[in-house]
Amino acid sequence: MANVKPSIPKGTRDFTPTEMVRRNYILNTIRSIFEKYAYLPIETPSIENLSTLMGKYGEEGDRLIFKILNSGDFLANVDLGNKTAQQLTPLICEKGLRYDLTVPFARFIVQHQNELIFPFKRYQMQPVWRADRPQKGRYREFYQCDIDVIGSNSMLNEAELIKITDEVFNAFKLDTVIKVNNRKILSGIAEIISEPDKITTICTAIDKLDKIGREGVLNELKDNGLTDSSINKLMPFFDFSGTNEQKLDFLEKMFINSEIGRKGIDELRSMLSYVDALTISTPVEIEFTLARGLNYYTGAIFEVKCKQVAMGSVAGGGRYDDLTSIFGLKNMSGVGISYGAERIYDILLECDGFPTSLTTPIKVLFINFGKKEELYALQAVQQLRNANITCELYPDNVKIGKQLNYANNKAIPFVIMAGENEIKENCFTLKNMQTGEQKKVTITQLLEYKL
Amino acid sequence: MANVKPSIPKGTRDFTPTEMVRRNYILNTIRSIFEKYAYLPIETPSIENLSTLMGKYGEEGDRLIFKILNSGDFLANVDLGNKTAQQLTPLICEKGLRYDLTVPFARFIVQHQNELIFPFKRYQMQPVWRADRPQKGRYREFYQCDIDVIGSNSMLNEAELIKITDEVFNAFKLDTVIKVNNRKILSGIAEIISEPDKITTICTAIDKLDKIGREGVLNELKDNGLTDSSINKLMPFFDFSGTNEQKLDFLEKMFINSEIGRKGIDELRSMLSYVDALTISTPVEIEFTLARGLNYYTGAIFEVKCKQVAMGSVAGGGRYDDLTSIFGLKNMSGVGISYGAERIYDILLECDGFPTSLTTPIKVLFINFGKKEELYALQAVQQLRNANITCELYPDNVKIGKQLNYANNKAIPFVIMAGENEIKENCFTLKNMQTGEQKKVTITQLLEYKL
């Protein structure tokens, strides 16, 4: 075997125990809230058929899906001819890596529709893969945490998702604002500025407001064929500020001639009345320019921004009436929200937001003094473990300084020394690694000690 | 978007909530035991460089690694010429999916050697992928659960792994036997039958004893050039039966002229003396014919067989002195064991071994009687959730029969009805779905009720 200098692919990461403790804190916190709200877990394969994935994420998305080479003699029935890479790909690859959790979820719903009980409330926390150019905060393998309710039209679901979001970010002590909008409001806007067919263009452009600014958005709209008159009519929606109630009143006036726009107002009002009933501490703000570029949204749109850092959104979602129809199942309205675990990780790291209690689970290290002492220690080790106290016996009889270093480096708070004297007295010397304090204890005292 | 009949690739699986509850039970049980024994988690990327993976699992393994097509114009600098699929693969694929947890762990150790504290005790529970022909009990994506200690030569580690194994299978109430051997015993055998260079051949053949029987093994050995005289000398090792002590005594006699064989006896004795100190309830049996085919083992070898079903091994492992040297780091002895989560799942399912307490986490469904009642119910729902009781309000005001069906199908044990009367009396009607019993309770009573 050749000597290989070890490395991992760009955009992927190893997680050491310290990082895992933090990562698990995030995932477990989110999971426990999802479960409290009666969402149940599902998992889908990492590998999907390309026929499931392709054409669902736009051209850019198609390119960014990792494709898996067919096994065996993948060239057997392939005429290489003068094919480009793009032409060759579908001939030598049938499978790809999961790109998000939404499309596999839609596929899952359709495939298992007869086993599932609707409304179906599921959560899913799994990695996804994108052949994106790696950069700060953008990885090629990263976790998504999604919850969705499918098979119910009630606005109660939207409100519940907002309540869960409130609880999630409160748990992380992050200062967020939940921006809400409704795709029908955007349709109403397109309608009253006389550009009903340009709704996708408008959403795509508006979605970039944070990145390219207002000027940029207006230029993009102009470039995409919106007239100056339309753009002028669009301006008030950018400019209006006020409370949610004032915004809804403003919309009422603007949407006198837009039925879909008024439908959007009704949905927003209904959602917000449930939100009120759920006592949510995070501000929930209507934002007319929230579009999230995703064309499958048909109703509510959410986006959560963290105020502590300039990092964009930490969660987002919305209602989609027609997601499963791409797999042949119609009339299945759903609403969901996705939390960015990696971004939450980066923010908590940046603002020193991980709880100080996130330390090693190992409470005690038993020092190894040799054969006879080992066996004496081992009995106590097992008794502590039986009492569910995580502890370990240093496996080798090396210098005590090296063993104490091991405890220090691993931040193990207590060390137990049991040599000849302790065995004679049937006790243990317990050392607090923080204070340096030492005392002799019996096994019973040890088991009762607040380790 | 075209209508696609939804399916998933052969050998992969979706997991519904019912299956997830069982799966999580297995993974969480194993994890909590690993943690109690002070093993800490790490994770490595799903995608590794092919240079890390290839050549580590034999020719067959190389073939079974899923390869990922390079992104972008992967043909740019490739001369297609008259290449075979095998020749083309390394030119168009640089990355592959993780095939096991051992090689990525070795890569991780070498790459992070300066950040890690040795002896390093880690656990890792992640999926691996193999382009194997799918069949019953064999999947293309499946979880492995590995623990390893690296950087310590003490036999205490071997014993601890055996103790953990005992605890894991006791937790699942599975009746197992832990077979142990030592690679040095196998080397001793090869030596005294005068075939010291054929150790790999001998291990590979012996490893198939369960599958092809004794006759088959002997034939394979003959085919691979072992003389009749050697094979005759091998027979006593197949035939000997007795207690561990009797087996060790037998080996002492056989290995008078084999230094390595005697070293193997010493290691086995040392390991078993620790095992005795750890009070293990699962039988630990020496088996001279345990080889596990894996050539990187240099000391102890373990295999766990489940007696309840004829399914082969449910866990296996051993000591390897030289695993990290393939990545340039020498003198790092390690020992580990891997548990087959999927096989445990299949066995528990087959023998009806999942705890009956593995039911839905949802304790209560609140029936939806319409707008006004919804808001009344919602307050109670939130109070229960604040008390960490998982519950849900049916999101739509549909027929009560449909809502009760929903509760039944999801096996939710309690239903709460709160209509006009309950609102007037400021109470809730609680229905036990199992007994059918109904009673009126206040919110305080509800919170104190054993749901």
Side-chain angles (χ1 to χ4, degrees), chain A residues 408-437:
Chain A
N408 261 329
N409 289 335
K410 289 181 81 173
I412 301 174
F414 292 94
V415 151
I416 283 174
M417 287 169 287
E420 228 172 294
N421 286 335
E422 281 85 356
I423 297 180
K424 232 180 273 163
E425 297 172 34
N426 199 20
C427 71
F428 299 87
T429 296
L430 178 71
K431 182 185 168 97
N432 181 322
M433 291 297 281
Q434 195 112 50
T435 64
E437 189 200 352

PDB file of all heavy atoms in Angstrom, chain A residues 408-437:
ATOM      1  N   ASN A 408      -6.106  16.607  32.378  1.00  0.00           N
ATOM      2  CA  ASN A 408      -6.150  18.050  32.147  1.00  0.00           C
ATOM      3  C   ASN A 408      -6.519  18.388  30.710  1.00  0.00           C
ATOM      4  O   ASN A 408      -7.397  19.211  30.464  1.00  0.00           O
ATOM      5  CB  ASN A 408      -4.774  18.661  32.446  1.00  0.00           C
ATOM      6  CG  ASN A 408      -4.757  19.275  33.830  1.00  0.00           C
ATOM      7  OD1 ASN A 408      -5.791  19.755  34.297  1.00  0.00           O
ATOM      8  ND2 ASN A 408      -3.608  19.264  34.468  1.00  0.00           N
ATOM      9  N   ASN A 409      -5.843  17.740  29.769  1.00  0.00           N
ATOM     10  CA  ASN A 409      -6.090  18.036  28.362  1.00  0.00           C
ATOM     11  C   ASN A 409      -7.501  17.676  27.941  1.00  0.00           C
ATOM     12  O   ASN A 409      -8.076  18.308  27.063  1.00  0.00           O
ATOM     13  CB  ASN A 409      -5.082  17.283  27.484  1.00  0.00           C
ATOM     14  CG  ASN A 409      -3.693  17.874  27.611  1.00  0.00           C
ATOM     15  OD1 ASN A 409      -3.539  19.051  27.940  1.00  0.00           O
ATOM     16  ND2 ASN A 409      -2.669  17.064  27.379  1.00  0.00           N
ATOM     17  N   LYS A 410      -8.053  16.657  28.567  1.00  0.00           N
ATOM     18  CA  LYS A 410      -9.423  16.268  28.227  1.00  0.00           C
ATOM     19  C   LYS A 410     -10.437  16.989  29.113  1.00  0.00           C
ATOM     20  O   LYS A 410     -11.640  16.745  29.001  1.00  0.00           O
ATOM     21  CB  LYS A 410      -9.601  14.747  28.367  1.00  0.00           C
ATOM     22  CG  LYS A 410      -8.878  13.959  27.274  1.00  0.00           C
ATOM     23  CD  LYS A 410      -9.085  12.460  27.434  1.00  0.00           C
ATOM     24  CE  LYS A 410     -10.423  11.991  26.864  1.00  0.00           C
ATOM     25  NZ  LYS A 410     -10.532  10.514  26.866  1.00  0.00           N
ATOM     26  N   ALA A 411      -9.946  17.872  29.988  1.00  0.00           N
ATOM     27  CA  ALA A 411     -10.811  18.652  30.884  1.00  0.00           C
ATOM     28  C   ALA A 411     -11.683  17.757  31.769  1.00  0.00           C
ATOM     29  O   ALA A 411     -12.831  18.082  32.076  1.00  0.00           O
ATOM     30  CB  ALA A 411     -11.674  19.639  30.098  1.00  0.00           C
ATOM     31  N   ILE A 412     -11.116  16.636  32.185  1.00  0.00           N
ATOM     32  CA  ILE A 412     -11.828  15.748  33.112  1.00  0.00           C
ATOM     33  C   ILE A 412     -11.743  16.368  34.515  1.00  0.00           C
ATOM     34  O   ILE A 412     -10.650  16.644  34.993  1.00  0.00           O
ATOM     35  CB  ILE A 412     -11.204  14.328  33.100  1.00  0.00           C
ATOM     36  CG1 ILE A 412     -11.271  13.756  31.675  1.00  0.00           C
ATOM     37  CG2 ILE A 412     -11.899  13.412  34.102  1.00  0.00           C
ATOM     38  CD1 ILE A 412     -10.552  12.425  31.492  1.00  0.00           C
ATOM     39  N   PRO A 413     -12.878  16.631  35.161  1.00  0.00           N
ATOM     40  CA  PRO A 413     -12.845  17.440  36.385  1.00  0.00           C
ATOM     41  C   PRO A 413     -12.255  16.735  37.619  1.00  0.00           C
ATOM     42  O   PRO A 413     -11.756  17.420  38.506  1.00  0.00           O
ATOM     43  CB  PRO A 413     -14.312  17.804  36.612  1.00  0.00           C
ATOM     44  CG  PRO A 413     -15.106  16.802  35.852  1.00  0.00           C
ATOM     45  CD  PRO A 413     -14.261  16.370  34.708  1.00  0.00           C
ATOM     46  N   PHE A 414     -12.349  15.400  37.674  1.00  0.00           N
ATOM     47  CA  PHE A 414     -11.847  14.699  38.865  1.00  0.00           C
ATOM     48  C   PHE A 414     -10.904  13.557  38.489  1.00  0.00           C
ATOM     49  O   PHE A 414     -11.089  12.903  37.456  1.00  0.00           O
ATOM     50  CB  PHE A 414     -12.999  14.119  39.689  1.00  0.00           C
ATOM     51  CG  PHE A 414     -13.847  15.161  40.343  1.00  0.00           C
ATOM     52  CD1 PHE A 414     -15.013  15.629  39.732  1.00  0.00           C
ATOM     53  CD2 PHE A 414     -13.464  15.717  41.577  1.00  0.00           C
ATOM     54  CE1 PHE A 414     -15.788  16.605  40.331  1.00  0.00           C
ATOM     55  CE2 PHE A 414     -14.239  16.692  42.178  1.00  0.00           C
ATOM     56  CZ  PHE A 414     -15.408  17.151  41.562  1.00  0.00           C
ATOM     57  N   VAL A 415      -9.932  13.342  39.372  1.00  0.00           N
ATOM     58  CA  VAL A 415      -9.019  12.227  39.182  1.00  0.00           C
ATOM     59  C   VAL A 415      -9.044  11.396  40.460  1.00  0.00           C
ATOM     60  O   VAL A 415      -9.155  11.954  41.560  1.00  0.00           O
ATOM     61  CB  VAL A 415      -7.603  12.751  38.868  1.00  0.00           C
ATOM     62  CG1 VAL A 415      -6.531  11.792  39.328  1.00  0.00           C
ATOM     63  CG2 VAL A 415      -7.469  13.020  37.383  1.00  0.00           C
ATOM     64  N   ILE A 416      -8.977  10.083  40.320  1.00  0.00           N
ATOM     65  CA  ILE A 416      -8.934   9.232  41.509  1.00  0.00           C
ATOM     66  C   ILE A 416      -7.629   8.455  41.527  1.00  0.00           C
ATOM     67  O   ILE A 416      -7.237   7.857  40.516  1.00  0.00           O
ATOM     68  CB  ILE A 416     -10.142   8.277  41.567  1.00  0.00           C
ATOM     69  CG1 ILE A 416     -11.360   9.078  42.025  1.00  0.00           C
ATOM     70  CG2 ILE A 416      -9.875   7.112  42.535  1.00  0.00           C
ATOM     71  CD1 ILE A 416     -12.635   8.312  41.997  1.00  0.00           C
ATOM     72  N   MET A 417      -6.948   8.534  42.681  1.00  0.00           N
ATOM     73  CA  MET A 417      -5.719   7.790  42.850  1.00  0.00           C
ATOM     74  C   MET A 417      -5.943   6.714  43.905  1.00  0.00           C
ATOM     75  O   MET A 417      -6.481   6.998  44.975  1.00  0.00           O
ATOM     76  CB  MET A 417      -4.604   8.735  43.242  1.00  0.00           C
ATOM     77  CG  MET A 417      -4.193   9.587  42.031  1.00  0.00           C
ATOM     78  SD  MET A 417      -3.117  10.961  42.425  1.00  0.00           S
ATOM     79  CE  MET A 417      -4.265  12.038  43.233  1.00  0.00           C
ATOM     80  N   ALA A 418      -5.565   5.506  43.571  1.00  0.00           N
ATOM     81  CA  ALA A 418      -5.705   4.416  44.532  1.00  0.00           C
ATOM     82  C   ALA A 418      -4.481   3.534  44.420  1.00  0.00           C
ATOM     83  O   ALA A 418      -4.372   2.710  43.505  1.00  0.00           O
ATOM     84  CB  ALA A 418      -6.992   3.635  44.256  1.00  0.00           C
ATOM     85  N   GLY A 419      -3.543   3.759  45.325  1.00  0.00           N
ATOM     86  CA  GLY A 419      -2.327   2.952  45.371  1.00  0.00           C
ATOM     87  C   GLY A 419      -2.387   1.994  46.550  1.00  0.00           C
ATOM     88  O   GLY A 419      -3.471   1.687  47.063  1.00  0.00           O
ATOM     89  N   GLU A 420      -1.216   1.562  46.956  1.00  0.00           N
ATOM     90  CA  GLU A 420      -1.132   0.564  48.025  1.00  0.00           C
ATOM     91  C   GLU A 420      -1.881   1.000  49.288  1.00  0.00           C
ATOM     92  O   GLU A 420      -2.650   0.243  49.873  1.00  0.00           O
ATOM     93  CB  GLU A 420       0.337   0.310  48.368  1.00  0.00           C
ATOM     94  CG  GLU A 420       0.688  -1.165  48.433  1.00  0.00           C
ATOM     95  CD  GLU A 420       2.192  -1.331  48.581  1.00  0.00           C
ATOM     96  OE1 GLU A 420       2.919  -0.959  47.624  1.00  0.00           O
ATOM     97  OE2 GLU A 420       2.624  -1.810  49.635  1.00  0.00           O
ATOM     98  N   ASN A 421      -1.640   2.256  49.707  1.00  0.00           N
ATOM     99  CA  ASN A 421      -2.268   2.756  50.940  1.00  0.00           C
ATOM    100  C   ASN A 421      -3.791   2.733  50.869  1.00  0.00           C
ATOM    101  O   ASN A 421      -4.465   2.303  51.799  1.00  0.00           O
ATOM    102  CB  ASN A 421      -1.820   4.186  51.244  1.00  0.00           C
ATOM    103  CG  ASN A 421      -0.393   4.197  51.769  1.00  0.00           C
ATOM    104  OD1 ASN A 421       0.058   3.195  52.331  1.00  0.00           O
ATOM    105  ND2 ASN A 421       0.306   5.298  51.554  1.00  0.00           N
ATOM    106  N   GLU A 422      -4.294   3.239  49.748  1.00  0.00           N
ATOM    107  CA  GLU A 422      -5.750   3.292  49.593  1.00  0.00           C
ATOM    108  C   GLU A 422      -6.328   1.875  49.624  1.00  0.00           C
ATOM    109  O   GLU A 422      -7.383   1.644  50.224  1.00  0.00           O
ATOM    110  CB  GLU A 422      -6.135   3.992  48.280  1.00  0.00           C
ATOM    111  CG  GLU A 422      -6.056   5.514  48.325  1.00  0.00           C
ATOM    112  CD  GLU A 422      -4.652   6.046  48.028  1.00  0.00           C
ATOM    113  OE1 GLU A 422      -3.727   5.217  47.856  1.00  0.00           O
ATOM    114  OE2 GLU A 422      -4.490   7.273  47.983  1.00  0.00           O
ATOM    115  N   ILE A 423      -5.650   0.945  48.973  1.00  0.00           N
ATOM    116  CA  ILE A 423      -6.156  -0.436  48.970  1.00  0.00           C
ATOM    117  C   ILE A 423      -6.218  -0.957  50.410  1.00  0.00           C
ATOM    118  O   ILE A 423      -7.209  -1.550  50.822  1.00  0.00           O
ATOM    119  CB  ILE A 423      -5.263  -1.361  48.097  1.00  0.00           C
ATOM    120  CG1 ILE A 423      -5.304  -0.881  46.641  1.00  0.00           C
ATOM    121  CG2 ILE A 423      -5.711  -2.817  48.195  1.00  0.00           C
ATOM    122  CD1 ILE A 423      -4.469  -1.695  45.670  1.00  0.00           C
ATOM    123  N   LYS A 424      -5.139  -0.657  51.175  1.00  0.00           N
ATOM    124  CA  LYS A 424      -5.096  -1.105  52.575  1.00  0.00           C
ATOM    125  C   LYS A 424      -6.272  -0.519  53.347  1.00  0.00           C
ATOM    126  O   LYS A 424      -6.946  -1.199  54.111  1.00  0.00           O
ATOM    127  CB  LYS A 424      -3.772  -0.676  53.218  1.00  0.00           C
ATOM    128  CG  LYS A 424      -3.042  -1.851  53.898  1.00  0.00           C
ATOM    129  CD  LYS A 424      -1.728  -1.381  54.525  1.00  0.00           C
ATOM    130  CE  LYS A 424      -0.578  -1.422  53.510  1.00  0.00           C
ATOM    131  NZ  LYS A 424       0.597  -0.621  53.943  1.00  0.00           N
ATOM    132  N   GLU A 425      -6.518   0.769  53.133  1.00  0.00           N
ATOM    133  CA  GLU A 425      -7.585   1.456  53.882  1.00  0.00           C
ATOM    134  C   GLU A 425      -8.957   1.289  53.221  1.00  0.00           C
ATOM    135  O   GLU A 425      -9.943   1.855  53.690  1.00  0.00           O
ATOM    136  CB  GLU A 425      -7.267   2.943  54.000  1.00  0.00           C
ATOM    137  CG  GLU A 425      -5.985   3.216  54.779  1.00  0.00           C
ATOM    138  CD  GLU A 425      -5.597   4.701  54.710  1.00  0.00           C
ATOM    139  OE1 GLU A 425      -6.530   5.545  54.683  1.00  0.00           O
ATOM    140  OE2 GLU A 425      -4.392   5.002  54.656  1.00  0.00           O
ATOM    141  N   ASN A 426      -8.991   0.569  52.103  1.00  0.00           N
ATOM    142  CA  ASN A 426     -10.226   0.373  51.353  1.00  0.00           C
ATOM    143  C   ASN A 426     -10.911   1.711  51.013  1.00  0.00           C
ATOM    144  O   ASN A 426     -12.091   1.914  51.277  1.00  0.00           O
ATOM    145  CB  ASN A 426     -11.181  -0.541  52.131  1.00  0.00           C
ATOM    146  CG  ASN A 426     -12.243  -1.151  51.221  1.00  0.00           C
ATOM    147  OD1 ASN A 426     -12.063  -1.198  49.991  1.00  0.00           O
ATOM    148  ND2 ASN A 426     -13.346  -1.588  51.805  1.00  0.00           N
ATOM    149  N   CYS A 427     -10.111   2.636  50.481  1.00  0.00           N
ATOM    150  CA  CYS A 427     -10.661   3.950  50.104  1.00  0.00           C
ATOM    151  C   CYS A 427     -10.014   4.446  48.814  1.00  0.00           C
ATOM    152  O   CYS A 427      -9.250   3.714  48.170  1.00  0.00           O
ATOM    153  CB  CYS A 427     -10.443   4.938  51.245  1.00  0.00           C
ATOM    154  SG  CYS A 427      -8.709   5.395  51.403  1.00  0.00           S
ATOM    155  N   PHE A 428     -10.348   5.672  48.433  1.00  0.00           N
ATOM    156  CA  PHE A 428      -9.837   6.270  47.190  1.00  0.00           C
ATOM    157  C   PHE A 428      -9.454   7.722  47.453  1.00  0.00           C
ATOM    158  O   PHE A 428     -10.142   8.404  48.216  1.00  0.00           O
ATOM    159  CB  PHE A 428     -10.915   6.223  46.101  1.00  0.00           C
ATOM    160  CG  PHE A 428     -11.347   4.836  45.767  1.00  0.00           C
ATOM    161  CD1 PHE A 428     -12.365   4.222  46.486  1.00  0.00           C
ATOM    162  CD2 PHE A 428     -10.718   4.123  44.757  1.00  0.00           C
ATOM    163  CE1 PHE A 428     -12.748   2.920  46.202  1.00  0.00           C
ATOM    164  CE2 PHE A 428     -11.088   2.821  44.466  1.00  0.00           C
ATOM    165  CZ  PHE A 428     -12.121   2.214  45.192  1.00  0.00           C
ATOM    166  N   THR A 429      -8.377   8.177  46.861  1.00  0.00           N
ATOM    167  CA  THR A 429      -8.043   9.595  46.966  1.00  0.00           C
ATOM    168  C   THR A 429      -8.628  10.323  45.754  1.00  0.00           C
ATOM    169  O   THR A 429      -8.294  10.018  44.606  1.00  0.00           O
ATOM    170  CB  THR A 429      -6.524   9.801  47.033  1.00  0.00           C
ATOM    171  OG1 THR A 429      -6.058   9.181  48.236  1.00  0.00           O
ATOM    172  CG2 THR A 429      -6.175  11.273  47.068  1.00  0.00           C
ATOM    173  N   LEU A 430      -9.514  11.277  46.044  1.00  0.00           N
ATOM    174  CA  LEU A 430     -10.228  12.012  44.995  1.00  0.00           C
ATOM    175  C   LEU A 430      -9.601  13.391  44.856  1.00  0.00           C
ATOM    176  O   LEU A 430      -9.487  14.136  45.830  1.00  0.00           O
ATOM    177  CB  LEU A 430     -11.704  12.145  45.404  1.00  0.00           C
ATOM    178  CG  LEU A 430     -12.621  12.927  44.461  1.00  0.00           C
ATOM    179  CD1 LEU A 430     -12.874  12.159  43.175  1.00  0.00           C
ATOM    180  CD2 LEU A 430     -13.954  13.231  45.158  1.00  0.00           C
ATOM    181  N   LYS A 431      -9.193  13.728  43.645  1.00  0.00           N
ATOM    182  CA  LYS A 431      -8.552  15.023  43.435  1.00  0.00           C
ATOM    183  C   LYS A 431      -9.425  15.859  42.494  1.00  0.00           C
ATOM    184  O   LYS A 431      -9.796  15.418  41.413  1.00  0.00           O
ATOM    185  CB  LYS A 431      -7.177  14.805  42.802  1.00  0.00           C
ATOM    186  CG  LYS A 431      -6.365  16.081  42.568  1.00  0.00           C
ATOM    187  CD  LYS A 431      -5.058  15.749  41.829  1.00  0.00           C
ATOM    188  CE  LYS A 431      -4.393  17.013  41.323  1.00  0.00           C
ATOM    189  NZ  LYS A 431      -3.345  17.500  42.239  1.00  0.00           N
ATOM    190  N   ASN A 432      -9.741  17.058  42.963  1.00  0.00           N
ATOM    191  CA  ASN A 432     -10.464  18.013  42.122  1.00  0.00           C
ATOM    192  C   ASN A 432      -9.443  18.718  41.234  1.00  0.00           C
ATOM    193  O   ASN A 432      -8.553  19.417  41.725  1.00  0.00           O
ATOM    194  CB  ASN A 432     -11.195  19.022  43.026  1.00  0.00           C
ATOM    195  CG  ASN A 432     -11.993  20.033  42.224  1.00  0.00           C
ATOM    196  OD1 ASN A 432     -11.563  20.486  41.158  1.00  0.00           O
ATOM    197  ND2 ASN A 432     -13.172  20.382  42.736  1.00  0.00           N
ATOM    198  N   MET A 433      -9.544  18.531  39.954  1.00  0.00           N
ATOM    199  CA  MET A 433      -8.502  19.017  39.042  1.00  0.00           C
ATOM    200  C   MET A 433      -8.519  20.540  38.895  1.00  0.00           C
ATOM    201  O   MET A 433      -7.541  21.133  38.460  1.00  0.00           O
ATOM    202  CB  MET A 433      -8.655  18.353  37.668  1.00  0.00           C
ATOM    203  CG  MET A 433      -8.334  16.876  37.668  1.00  0.00           C
ATOM    204  SD  MET A 433      -6.612  16.510  38.114  1.00  0.00           S
ATOM    205  CE  MET A 433      -5.780  16.878  36.551  1.00  0.00           C
ATOM    206  N   GLN A 434      -9.644  21.144  39.252  1.00  0.00           N
ATOM    207  CA  GLN A 434      -9.755  22.600  39.139  1.00  0.00           C
ATOM    208  C   GLN A 434      -9.086  23.265  40.355  1.00  0.00           C
ATOM    209  O   GLN A 434      -8.254  24.146  40.202  1.00  0.00           O
ATOM    210  CB  GLN A 434     -11.231  22.993  39.088  1.00  0.00           C
ATOM    211  CG  GLN A 434     -11.467  24.409  38.608  1.00  0.00           C
ATOM    212  CD  GLN A 434     -12.154  24.407  37.255  1.00  0.00           C
ATOM    213  OE1 GLN A 434     -13.166  23.721  37.050  1.00  0.00           O
ATOM    214  NE2 GLN A 434     -11.626  25.159  36.315  1.00  0.00           N
ATOM    215  N   THR A 435      -9.484  22.792  41.552  1.00  0.00           N
ATOM    216  CA  THR A 435      -8.992  23.440  42.774  1.00  0.00           C
ATOM    217  C   THR A 435      -7.715  22.782  43.289  1.00  0.00           C
ATOM    218  O   THR A 435      -7.001  23.370  44.093  1.00  0.00           O
ATOM    219  CB  THR A 435     -10.047  23.319  43.891  1.00  0.00           C
ATOM    220  OG1 THR A 435     -10.224  21.918  44.199  1.00  0.00           O
ATOM    221  CG2 THR A 435     -11.391  23.892  43.466  1.00  0.00           C
ATOM    222  N   GLY A 436      -7.428  21.586  42.841  1.00  0.00           N
ATOM    223  CA  GLY A 436      -6.254  20.877  43.339  1.00  0.00           C
ATOM    224  C   GLY A 436      -6.515  20.155  44.655  1.00  0.00           C
ATOM    225  O   GLY A 436      -5.680  19.382  45.133  1.00  0.00           O
ATOM    226  N   GLU A 437      -7.673  20.407  45.238  1.00  0.00           N
ATOM    227  CA  GLU A 437      -8.041  19.804  46.523  1.00  0.00           C
ATOM    228  C   GLU A 437      -8.074  18.272  46.441  1.00  0.00           C
ATOM    229  O   GLU A 437      -8.558  17.709  45.472  1.00  0.00           O
ATOM    230  CB  GLU A 437      -9.435  20.332  46.905  1.00  0.00           C
ATOM    231  CG  GLU A 437      -9.904  19.999  48.299  1.00  0.00           C
ATOM    232  CD  GLU A 437     -11.434  20.112  48.401  1.00  0.00           C
ATOM    233  OE1 GLU A 437     -12.072  20.588  47.420  1.00  0.00           O
ATOM    234  OE2 GLU A 437     -11.974  19.706  49.442  1.00  0.00           O
TER     235      GLU A 437
END
